Amino acid sequence: MDKKEFKKKFKRRLAEKFAMEVTDASSNELYQTLGSLMTSAYSQDWRETWKDYRENNQKQSYYFSIEFLPGKMLKSNLLNMGWLELVEEGLDELGIQLNDLVEIEPDMALGNGGLGRLASCFMDSIASCGLPGNGNGIRYEYGLFKQRFVDNYQVELPDEWLQKGNLWEVRKESKAVDVQIGGNVYLKPDQYGKLSPVYEGGSKLRAVPYDTGMVGYQNKIVNTMRLWSLEIPPEEEDRYRSIEARRSFEDLTSVLYPDDSNEAGRKMRLTQEYFFVSAGVQSILRYFKSLNQPMDEINQYAAIHINDTHPAMCVAEFMRLLVDEEQMSWERAWDLTRKVMSYTNHTIMAEALEKWSIDMMKNVCPRIYQIIEEIDRRFVEELIGVQDFDLIQRTRIIQDGQVHMAHLAIIGSHSTNGVAKLHSDLLKSVVLHDFYLLYPDRFNNKTNGIAMRRWVQLANPAMSKVLDATIGKTWRKNSDDLRLLLNYEEDDQVLNALAEAKYQNKRSLAAYIKSHCGIEVSPEAIFDVQIKRLHAYKRQLLNLLHIIKLYLDLKENPELPIEPRVFIFGAKAAPSYHYAKSIIKVINEVASLINADETIKGKLKLVFLENYNVSLAERIIPAADVSEQISLASKEASGTSNMKLMLNGAVTIATLDGANVEIRDAVGDDNIAIFGLTEGEVYQYYEKRNYHAIDLYERDTTIQKVVNALIDGTIPNITKEGQEIFDSLIKYNDEFFVLRDFEDYCAAQMSVNQAYQDTRRWRQISLRNTANAGRFSSDRTVQQYADDIWQIEPLFAHNDNRGVTQH
Ligand code: T68
């Protein structure tokens, strides 16, 4: 399609859909028109991709995730379709700005943070690598809450993302399935003595899939993300006549649980989990049966991936369908189940390791509980006398009245992976050590990655242009080619061009900050960024204490030779996470204090941007000079904002945690500021129990001064919160070693400050960060999953007009 044709089609579609001309239409009408042109253009490829998979009996992977966090899809789809430039120019000629239409689309925010965003990066990469893989999740009516600040406190508002409809989804009524919830199940012998389940009571939920096309990067592949929505089956209408009954039914899948890295342990959450697991597994089996292949070979057609433990019931549901519905023997079914399933662990935080009480599970999915009980019984039976008794007790699925979901996922699958080298090592040596003893071959690492297309090509067109002009365009398909940039580290023209792109991005972020927060920041200052969920282990507090120190130092000596800095935060706290919300309040109050204080001559600014989400990340990341990755070593499984920021040329201040270790390896010690305890040192403290925060406080006058500022009135309006945070450090012994790492962190900050003063050197460091980020592409990650875990292959074109781009 050329520009002329696009404009013609656009005008025609607008007339058909709205009986309007361009000049009369609202941005929303124009957005709907463009979207409808796009979906009709890629649906042909979507249908053909699906047909090709089917006709080739292609093995497919199914990524089960309770969260997906795609953000906006308009530009990403345009880019992947190869339409971006053409549409941008064509619209411009019609007097329409593409970016105005982008604003209309709500962020699709069906996830909390890293875990959901990773799932969406994978969806983009799987399609872009031409791999046959699908997503399976929940179509929440409300996404992650919208964050507002009122009196510097976080308040949460509902995210009604579906209010104006969703362009990209297709409701597939014909593919609906029913999910049985609650009631009683008992086993009854049939005429041959085989036990079959008989269900009594309970209710039936109708699961209706909404499919969204996952458009691959200029390769004609369109995969499917399938999100399940809950409806009342027509035959059950009578039970839901009252408003309350209807509401409590609909509530089941209407909201995303806003707790990241923490289990709420509520019955509704368990229902959500079973709902999308059962619907997804049933639909996989139904598709497989339509292929008329022997059930025994299903592992050659399907790979089911369990993204964290939330979908771990896939193991039991798959067993249920094979044994109860397909009459397969337990042994054969179990063998297949393990071959089909694989599992990724995303955390070592104890409170996030999901467990459900037996009672609750019996209540929500009684048959699944029976099956888990049988898996557990056989697990013990097989190992007793072979393995150490205590080891068996520690690894079994059911313990102390609780079902351990990670145990179910590991025992019922052939692969368990961590998300960065350090994390995978810790799984083997500490967190899942017992399982590593039992199944050493199942453990492996798959370091996370990010969708380069979104995080450079879309988010940072200014830098992309410089890259094209410097190293050619191949990096757009093969991110390893970013390394070619290293040939230019002494080339002042390139260094300046990259710096100019950064400056441009900083100017537009500064404008955003001005219009959204009313705060004036200078694009000449260092933009220092920490963007991630608010959590004690991520240590936003450490960052804040350093800011307070700088502020106090500047108050004492306004001539202090530091580069002007703008500290930028973006973070949501779980609504029930009191401590995290107190940190937000204190950061906001410190911001009010600092930003209004003219005596420090604008050397320091602090901005907490409201409602951090994917779209805001796309604005902040290209403008960042410094990336804060300062979690306590051993706590952050991987992190992914660290990768996005380095890719965009930010210099990282980091602990040796998660993927930071691999970023350090990629760029070398001179191009990153490492500080703080190592994971080994943290474990030593645990073992020896010899950390005493109060000693540090009493000994170190700087720490004293800074920590006291929380309670001595220096910062207004934080009487309660300041005390709470003070107590967490001093009275409750600083669980995340903030004070222990403080001095080292300040030194790292100082070294960054110095490096920035040498402009040329800084630009070189920044270039090296971008140049070495190629390995963190999620194209690489999903290819590793495809090769090592799922054993799926790209579909090769078997007719001429469906060429597949190889990566
Ligand atoms: C994150 N986990 C890890 N969890 O914290 C991060 N948890 O290090 C890693 O990079 C990322 O996963 C991808 O691997 C999460 O984001 C959650 O969001 C979550 C949600 C519900 C329940 C528990």
Side-chain angles (χ1 to χ4, degrees), residues 67 114-115 259-261 263 269 310 346 448 537 636-639:
E67 302 190 355
L115 172 130
D259 266 299
D260 73 318
S261 314
E263 273 314 314
R269 171 72 162 196
H310 326 117
H346 292 267
N448 283 167
Y537 83 82
E636 188 71 272
S638 162

Side-chain angles (χ1 to χ4, degrees), residues 64 136-137 175-180 205-209 226-229 272-286 317 320-321:
F64 278 61
N136 189 83
K175 304 274 187 264
V177 298
D178 287 340
V179 175
Q180 171 76 30
L205 312 181
R206 166 102 1 126
V208 182
R226 172 162 284 185
L227 301 182
W228 296 94
S229 179
Q272 292 185 344
E273 291 183 357
Y274 185 59
F275 172 74
F276 93 103
V277 157
S278 178
V281 177
Q282 285 188 61
S283 86
I284 292 168
L285 271 172
R286 181 162 71 184
E317 178 68 0
R320 181 184 76 79
L321 291 168

Side-chain angles (χ1 to χ4, degrees), residues 288 293-302 328 332 336 340:
F288 175 70
Q293 300 296 325
M295 194 51 93
D296 254 338
E297 291 174 11
I298 188 164
N299 61 308
Q300 293 168 34
Y301 294 80
M328 195 182 273
R332 274 171 60 203
L336 288 171
V340 167

Side-chain angles (χ1 to χ4, degrees), residues 381-418:
E381 186 181 73
E382 217 172 87
L383 294 183
I384 211 106
V386 184
Q387 291 285 350
D388 175 61
F389 181 77
D390 290 339
L391 179 84
I392 301 174
Q393 289 307 314
R394 290 195 303 269
T395 49
R396 59 184 297 184
I397 302 167
I398 302 172
Q399 291 173 33
D400 308 323
Q402 290 189 307
V403 183
H404 289 238
M405 303 308 272
H407 300 198
L408 175 64
I410 299 166
I411 292 168
S413 67
H414 67 279
S415 168
T416 293
N417 75 280

Side-chain angles (χ1 to χ4, degrees), residues 359-478:
D359 287 345
M360 201 185 283
M361 204 175 253
K362 273 185 175 163
N363 197 264
V364 170
C365 40
R367 180 64 185 141
I368 290 304
Y369 178 70
Q370 288 175 347
I371 290 172
I372 292 175
E373 217 173 22
E374 180 63 10
I375 296 173
D376 183 59
R377 192 188 67 74
R378 288 176 184 243
F379 172 77
V380 174
E381 186 181 73
E382 217 172 87
L383 294 183
I384 211 106
V386 184
Q387 291 285 350
D388 175 61
F389 181 77
D390 290 339
L391 179 84
I392 301 174
Q393 289 307 314
R394 290 195 303 269
T395 49
R396 59 184 297 184
I397 302 167
I398 302 172
Q399 291 173 33
D400 308 323
Q402 290 189 307
V403 183
H404 289 238
M405 303 308 272
H407 300 198
L408 175 64
I410 299 166
I411 292 168
S413 67
H414 67 279
S415 168
T416 293
N417 75 280
V419 289
K421 273 184 199 150
L422 174 69
H423 169 59
S424 296
D425 286 344
L426 285 172
L427 291 182
K428 290 200 282 191
S429 61
V430 187
V431 190
L432 300 175
H433 180 66
D434 289 331
F435 288 98
Y436 181 59
L437 294 176
L438 293 178
Y439 313 119
D441 299 339
R442 289 186 194 178
F443 283 78
N444 64 94
N445 172 246
K446 296 286 169 279
T447 298
N448 283 167
I450 56 175
M452 295 274 165
R453 289 162 289 279
R454 179 174 292 266
W455 297 107
V456 194
Q457 297 195 50
L458 292 180
N460 199 344
M463 185 175 89
S464 300
K465 248 189 238 154
V466 178
L467 293 177
D468 286 348
T470 311
I471 58 173
K473 290 190 171 183
T474 56
W475 65 273
R476 289 178 182 260
K477 279 222 159 109
N478 179 0

